[in-house]
Amino acid sequence: MLKFWEQFKVGNMTAQAKPFDIYGTQLNSRLLIGSALYPSPKVMQDSIQASGAQVVTLSLSRQNPQKQGGQTGQSGGESFWQIIQSLGVHLLPNTAGCHSVKEAVTMAQMSREIFQTDWIKLELVGDDFNLQPDPIDLVKATEILLNDGFKVLPYCTDDLVIARHLVELGCKVIMPWGSPIGTGKGLLNPYALQAIRDRFPEITLIVDSGIGAPSHAIQAMEMGIDGILLNTAVAHANQPQMMARAFKGAIEAGRLAYEAGLMVERQQASASTPTLDSPFWHHTQY
Amino acid sequence: MNIQLNGQAVILTDSTDPISLQQALDHWQQQSLVRPPFAVMLNGDFTPKSTYVDIQLKENDRVEILGAIQGG
C-alpha cells in the first residue's frame, strides 16, 4: 500500500518489454530518421549511419535532371537515390505538402510504385503556419489507404479522440507530434501523449516532429513511447553525425529506463544511507 | 504535339501520329529528362506503370514525372 506521500506519482510498474514493431516488421532501432536538411549528401549519409536508424523517411518531387545532387543529378557526386539505396534501410515515404485527401492518396500511390513499399507516412497539412495535420481529412485518407492495402503511419496531433479513430480504422502505428515540425520545442503536451499511450498499450506509438534535444527523446521514451522520428534535430545540429550518435544513445537509454521501471517519486526526503547507529545519529522530534 | 512536362511546355513531336505515354517517356529518357525510378501523373491523376503502353497522349496533356527526394 502506498504511503501518503507516494500516491501522487506512481512509478513505472507496468512497463512492457515489447519489441519495436511496424506492421509486423520488428526493428532493433527505435529511432526513425529523416533525409532532409543536411548540409551535404555526405553528412546525410554519415548521420544516418551514426544514428543506427533502420527506417529513413523520404519524399517525392518533380524530377529535375539538371539539379545538382538531385536524384538525376550528374554533378559527379553520388545522387540522393544512390546513397539511400546503399544504406540498406527500410524506406518510409511521406506525403509532405499534401493539403487534400486526393493529393495525399495520389502521392501515396506514386510512392508505393517507386519505392516498392506499402508503408506510408501520411501527412495532410491543415495549417500552413504550424503545419499541423488536418485531423478530419487525415482520418478520411487513412481509411482510403488502409482499404487499398497500405500500411499507414499517420502523423497526427496529440488528440486522443483522433488517435482512437485511427486505431479503430485499423492503424497499428500512430505518430503524434511532440510539437510542430522543425520547432525543436520537444514535448509540449506530455499529458496528452501519456493519455494516448495509456489508452492504446498495444499500438506502436512514435512521437514524430518537434524533437530538438536528446533529453526530449528520453522524456518520451521513459513514458513508454515506442519510438522517435526526427530530422531537423540532427540535420541542423552543429555536428549532425555526433548528434545522431547522441540521439541513438538517448533513445536506447530512455527505453531501458522505461523497461527497468522508474523509482516512485516522493514528496518527502528519504535518506539513502542508513542512519540507525551512525556515529551522530539522534532521534528527530517533529 | 504540345505537352506540359513538369509544368513546362514542350513539343513532344511535330507529327500528328498518336503517341503513347510509354513512347513519350522513352523519348524523354533518351534526352535525360527522365531517369528511373519515377512515377507519373497525367492531368492530375496517378498513372500506374502498367498503363503507360495503352495511354495515348493528347494535345496539352499535363504530365508530371515524380522522383525521390529528401524528406522528413
Side-chain angles (χ1 to χ4, degrees):
Chain A
M1 180 176 164
L2 293 174
K3 298 285 192 300
F4 160 73
W5 52 85
E6 291 175 336
Q7 65 184 294
F8 293 105
K9 183 175 189 292
V10 179
N12 201 349
M13 302 168 77
T14 58
Q16 298 181 46
K18 66 177 183 175
F20 186 48
D21 182 291
I22 294 182
Y23 286 98
T25 297
Q26 291 195 358
L27 301 165
N28 295 323
S29 170
R30 293 172 179 270
L31 171 54
L32 292 73
I33 197 164
S35 55
L37 304 174
Y38 295 89
S40 73
K42 179 72 165 62
V43 171
M44 178 197 76
Q45 182 177 19
D46 291 345
S47 299
I48 291 174
Q49 287 174 327
S51 74
Q54 296 169 281
V55 180
V56 175
T57 56
L58 71 174
S59 195
L60 291 182
S61 180
R62 286 174 170 175
Q63 284 199 342
N64 185 347
Q66 281 71 45
K67 186 174 180 182
Q68 193 164 13
Q71 176 190 331
T72 58
Q74 298 295 323
S75 61
E78 234 183 336
S79 73
F80 166 72
W81 180 238
Q82 288 172 313
I83 292 173
I84 287 295
Q85 285 186 298
S86 72
L87 289 169
V89 294
H90 295 275
L91 301 181
L92 178 56
N94 69 28
T95 62
C98 291
H99 289 72
S100 72
V101 173
K102 180 170 192 270
E103 287 175 2
V105 169
T106 300
M107 195 152 171
Q109 290 168 333
M110 292 191 291
S111 296
R112 179 165 60 180
E113 184 167 275
I114 291 184
F115 302 125
Q116 300 291 297
T117 177
D118 47 17
W119 287 11
I120 190 73
K121 174 183 163 178
L122 181 58
E123 297 182 56
L124 234 162
V125 180
D127 184 276
D128 286 322
F129 177 71
N130 70 3
L131 297 180
Q132 78 164 77
D134 180 315
I136 296 167
D137 280 354
L138 177 71
V139 173
K140 291 178 185 173
T142 296
E143 185 170 22
I144 292 170
L145 291 173
L146 285 173
N147 289 338
D148 194 14
F150 284 88
K151 296 182 167 60
V152 181
L153 286 73
Y155 168 59
C156 55
T157 61
D158 49 28
D159 187 293
L160 178 66
V161 175
I162 295 296
R164 192 195 75 214
H165 283 297
L166 296 169
V167 171
E168 287 174 351
L169 284 174
C171 285
K172 304 299 182 196
V173 181
I174 302 291
M175 303 210 296
W177 68 357
S179 49
I181 297 171
T183 60
K185 290 181 177 295
L187 309 186
L188 287 179
N189 196 345
Y191 173 85
L193 291 172
Q194 189 71 64
I196 296 175
R197 171 73 292 169
D198 292 343
R199 187 66 64 88
F200 307 112
E202 299 306 317
I203 294 295
T204 296
L205 204 53
I206 298 170
V207 165
D208 175 17
S209 92
I211 298 291
S215 53
H216 300 155
I218 291 179
Q219 181 188 9
M221 298 305 290
E222 284 176 358
M223 291 164 59
I225 302 292
D226 294 300
I228 304 289
L229 198 164
L230 55 81
N231 192 154
T232 311
V234 167
H236 278 188
N238 286 341
Q239 297 188 60
Q241 187 180 355
M242 190 182 293
M243 186 57 73
R245 280 171 40 213
F247 271 105
K248 177 177 187 291
I251 289 166
E252 287 172 358
R255 182 62 187 182
L256 267 179
Y258 170 72
E259 293 184 7
L262 295 168
M263 64 166 280
V264 176
E265 190 177 307
R266 297 183 169 108
Q267 295 298 324
Q268 180 178 345
S270 175
S272 306
T273 305
T275 53
L276 185 64
D277 287 340
S278 61
F280 307 105
W281 175 82
H282 61 277
H283 181 68
T284 302
Q285 300 288 333
Y286 286 99
Chain B
M1 182 184 296
N2 297 305
I3 297 291
Q4 290 280 327
L5 174 61
N6 286 348
Q8 295 195 343
V10 298
I11 297 174
L12 183 55
T13 175
D14 292 329
S15 166
T16 55
D17 292 337
I19 183 167
S20 70
L21 177 56
Q22 183 65 62
Q23 288 172 309
L25 291 169
D26 291 340
H27 174 68
W28 288 325
Q29 280 195 66
Q30 286 169 6
Q31 294 185 319
S32 298
L33 293 176
V34 165
R35 186 168 171 175
F38 59 83
V40 177
M41 285 204 310
L42 178 61
N43 298 325
D45 294 321
F46 167 58
T47 307
K49 192 182 302 185
S50 57
T51 65
Y52 292 173
V53 173
D54 298 320
I55 289 176
Q56 302 296 311
L57 292 177
K58 301 185 301 298
E59 187 77 15
N60 296 322
D61 270 345
R62 292 177 288 113
V63 180
E64 305 270 350
I65 312 288
L66 290 302
I69 61 159
Q70 298 89 333

